[in-house]
Amino acid sequence: MTIDITTTQVTAVVAAAIIVIDIVIRVIAVIVVPRNRRPTAGMAWLLAIFFFPVLGGLFFLLIGNPKLPKRRREKQAEVDEYIRESTHGIERVSDSSIWPAWFDGVVRLNRTLGAMPLIGSNSAGLIGDYQGSLDAMTEAIRSAERYVHVEFYIFAYDRTTAPFFDALGDAVARGVEVRVLLDHIASLRVKGYRKTLRRLDAMGVRWQLMLPVQPLKGRYQRPDLRNHRKILVVDGEVGFLGSQNIIDRSYNKRSNIRRGLKWKELVARVEGPIVSGLEAIFATDWYLETGEAPLREIVPLGQEGEAQDLDCQVVPSGPGYTNENNLKLFLALMYAARERIILTSPYFVPDEAMLRAISGATQRGVHVELFVSELGDQALVYHAQRSYYEVLLRAGVRIYLYQAPYILHSKHFTIDDDVAVIGSSNMDIRSFELNMEVSLLVRGQSFVREMRAVEDDYRRDSRELTLDEWMRQPLRSTVLDNLARLTSALQ
């Protein structure tokens, strides 16, 4: 018996299969996507999958899991517990009777989430000059006697950073232990990646890629989960952290050079016992990448105090933690503010909680300012950020646009006249969920005054955006901004 299968029948079978696959993908998506995910992100993923079932489903499988591998998260939890136990009762702080009433609760929050204690008797200074910060770090390396620990999101050997690399090489030559951590994908994407690694090898530096995406070597996780930290520690006595990477301020990109773009950064140089806190972050990341546990550097041991007497607390965050440590710190401080909040962030894409915290602050009479760049170097984030300007302006936030050709890349904020935060974390969903970040909470009016001077400089070099000006934006810009805002939730 012969069965004739016509083209029409084949087409009908294929069409039916496509419909079944489409329905199955949608049903599975409704069950899987929203689980343990913030509602906005879940809705964005569902919209992507419902409009483009196959492509959206594949994209979700690639980057839909915002967590690091389970074994790595377990190792992070082990280190955190070790730090809590080893630093129990180590807090040595200034007179807590002069603290703001809310400060102790913020410190307890950070201790619970990130394990690190608040430590007093520290000194800190700010460096806002790009070359000046490179020079200061290079000089610190040249004075190293025991070890130099370097951890940066982007680490590149070029004409600008050559003295920094030379200082590392000289340190190795005189017997100083030098270890370098650099983010794999971020450093790979910049010019001269192979030359940088060859230079490190030639100098005898021990280096390790952070969060490598090397599936053939058995090392893989979601490719856009990155280590965004920027830390330098020398001999456990002086430390640096902030927004600046080790690369020329043009990032060696032809498009940046053609547009004349230059990055504006802010770096904190710290001394005192808090340096051991930065050391603990480096030691933990080195352990997570190599399996080597330099326990002598994981424990923040007390050192001699400094005259400035600042209370400081290191706050690590990222996909290795079960909570959004940096976001919860930022929200706690915004709700605590009584007089003013001054925010600086190159990528400001707040979630609903942060928008409520900011609007609530202005409604209770707190003065709120936001410094962002007039220009953007990342189109999607830039346009997503712009989509929030109207609601912020209507809430009473004063927005200052740092003028071209500079990209304001600094990441810091101040609360009243008592507390400041500086570090690597932007105020966007990527920094809250996907990037490993480090922030430094500082209580001390002398440090806040120095930060106020930086903010005054920003204000002089910026122009204020008004609601009237913003409402004259062309429709095409509004549409583009809102589309970018939707994509920002795909985390």
Side-chain angles (χ1 to χ4, degrees):
M1 179 179 179
T2 302
I3 300 176
D4 294 326
I5 301 176
T6 66
T7 302
T8 302
Q9 290 173 320
V10 171
T11 302
V13 170
V14 172
I18 292 174
I19 292 173
V20 171
I21 292 172
D22 181 271
I23 293 173
V24 169
I25 291 175
R26 294 171 189 261
V27 171
I28 293 176
V30 171
I31 298 172
V32 173
V33 170
R35 186 177 181 182
N36 298 324
R37 193 181 301 273
R38 63 173 71 211
T40 51
M43 183 60 68
W45 273 115
L46 287 175
L47 285 173
I49 294 172
F50 272 54
F51 278 109
F52 310 100
V54 176
L55 184 61
L58 291 175
F59 197 53
F60 178 79
L61 291 175
L62 179 64
I63 67 168
N65 182 8
K67 297 180 180 179
L68 289 168
K70 181 180 178 182
R71 177 56 188 149
R72 188 182 181 104
R73 285 182 278 126
E74 290 174 346
K75 290 169 70 176
Q76 178 71 67
E78 291 171 6
V79 172
D80 288 348
E81 185 59 30
Y82 179 82
I83 291 174
R84 287 192 189 93
E85 293 177 355
S86 302
T87 59
H88 179 69
I90 202 173
E91 293 88 345
R92 185 181 65 205
V93 296
S94 63
D95 183 2
S96 60
S97 66
I98 64 175
W99 289 357
W102 46 263
F103 187 68
D104 183 65
V106 173
V107 171
R108 289 176 181 270
L109 170 71
N110 296 333
R111 178 74 148 155
T112 299
L113 299 181
M116 303 297 292
L118 180 77
I119 305 177
S121 303
N122 301 288
S123 286
L126 297 172
I127 309 172
D129 177 70
Y130 197 100
Q131 187 60 50
S133 61
L134 285 174
D135 291 344
M137 288 187 281
T138 301
E139 182 62 28
I141 295 170
R142 293 198 185 281
S143 67
E145 297 179 353
R146 294 180 292 137
Y147 62 86
V148 176
H149 289 161
V150 182
E151 177 174 349
F152 282 87
Y153 177 59
I154 296 176
F155 192 70
Y157 176 61
D158 57 34
R159 184 181 303 176
T160 300
T161 63
F164 184 99
F165 277 74
D166 291 343
L168 292 179
D170 292 343
V172 174
R174 62 178 184 269
V176 174
E177 178 188 54
V178 177
R179 293 189 284 187
V180 171
L181 288 169
L182 63 155
D183 186 79
H184 180 206
I185 298 300
S187 295
L188 175 66
R189 292 185 302 184
V190 300
K191 182 179 179 181
Y193 171 69
R194 297 296 177 189
K195 182 173 69 172
T196 297
L197 299 187
R198 288 196 298 269
R199 176 69 170 144
L200 292 173
D201 285 335
M203 295 187 302
V205 170
R206 296 187 63 196
W207 60 271
Q208 180 68 39
L209 299 175
M210 294 188 291
L211 298 177
V213 181
Q214 299 171 318
L216 297 181
K217 296 181 179 181
R219 294 185 287 186
Y220 182 82
Q221 70 284 315
R222 174 174 166 169
D224 63 337
L225 298 181
R226 308 307 333 145
N227 193 318
H228 194 241
R229 295 167 180 159
K230 293 101 174 167
I231 298 172
L232 170 67
V233 178
V234 177
D235 290 343
E237 296 178 357
V238 60
F240 296 82
L241 82 161
S243 62
Q244 188 168 331
N245 292 294
I246 303 299
I247 191 171
D248 182 82
R249 69 188 310 181
S250 70
Y251 278 61
N252 298 317
K253 290 185 178 180
R254 291 182 180 179
S255 59
N256 293 343
I257 297 171
R258 185 176 63 252
R259 297 170 64 190
L261 299 184
K262 300 176 181 179
W263 265 241
K264 178 70 174 176
E265 310 283 2
L266 190 66
V267 171
R269 182 186 188 277
V270 298
E271 293 183 87
I274 196 60
V275 175
S276 293
L278 294 178
E279 189 73 85
I281 301 301
F282 176 89
T284 298
D285 287 342
W286 185 267
Y287 167 61
L288 293 176
E289 297 296 353
T290 66
E292 300 174 15
L295 297 182
R296 67 178 177 85
E297 293 140 14
I298 286 182
V299 185
L301 298 176
Q303 299 156 326
E304 290 300 317
E306 298 293 330
Q308 201 173 351
D309 200 23
L310 300 176
D311 297 322
C312 299
Q313 187 174 30
V314 173
V315 183
S317 59
Y321 294 88
T322 57
N323 293 279
E324 298 161 329
N325 300 1
N326 49 355
L327 175 60
K328 290 184 177 179
L329 166 62
F330 298 168
L331 292 177
L333 291 175
M334 289 178 186
Y335 278 113
R338 294 297 177 264
E339 298 174 4
R340 67 177 110 174
I341 302 171
I342 313 291
L343 309 168
T344 302
S345 179
Y347 313 118
F348 186 81
V349 186
D351 65 355
E352 296 92 335
M354 181 166 284
L355 279 178
R356 290 192 183 97
I358 292 173
S359 62
T362 59
Q363 289 162 0
R364 64 178 184 268
V366 176
H367 177 83
V368 181
E369 295 182 16
L370 171 65
F371 288 97
V372 292
S373 290
E374 182 178 42
L375 299 177
D377 66 305
Q378 297 187 25
L380 274 179
V381 180
Y382 173 69
H383 284 286
Q385 172 176 289
R386 284 164 49 93
S387 73
Y388 291 93
Y389 287 172
E390 181 180 347
V391 67
L392 291 170
L393 290 167
R394 290 190 182 281
V397 177
R398 300 185 69 173
I399 300 177
Y400 290 92
L401 306 179
Y402 199 83
Q403 296 191 70
Y406 294 95
I407 299 293
L408 184 60
H409 193 246
S410 306
K411 311 162 198 296
H412 52 86
F413 67 101
T414 50
I415 300 295
D416 298 339
D417 293 323
D418 300 294
V419 174
V421 174
I422 184 170
S424 65
S425 180
N426 299 306
M427 293 186 178
D428 65 355
I429 297 174
R430 168 161 294 282
S431 281
F432 296 149
E433 290 193 356
L434 305 182
N435 286 342
M436 298 174 70
E437 308 281 6
V438 61
S439 301
L440 182 69
L441 174 70
V442 182
R443 192 218 62 81
Q445 292 189 358
S446 61
F447 187 79
V448 175
R449 281 195 298 270
E450 191 172 356
M451 190 75 82
R452 289 273 181 260
V454 171
E455 295 162 355
D456 290 341
D457 289 341
Y458 291 169
R459 205 173 287 107
R460 283 192 294 268
D461 294 330
S462 303
R463 66 178 184 86
E464 186 171 1
L465 178 66
T466 66
L467 182 59
D468 287 342
E469 176 190 348
W470 183 251
M471 295 311 293
R472 294 194 296 271
Q473 290 290 311
L475 178 61
R476 65 179 181 276
S477 295
T478 301
V479 172
L480 185 58
D481 294 344
N482 290 336
L483 287 175
R485 181 172 177 169
L486 288 176
T487 63
S488 70
L490 290 176
Q491 308 298 347

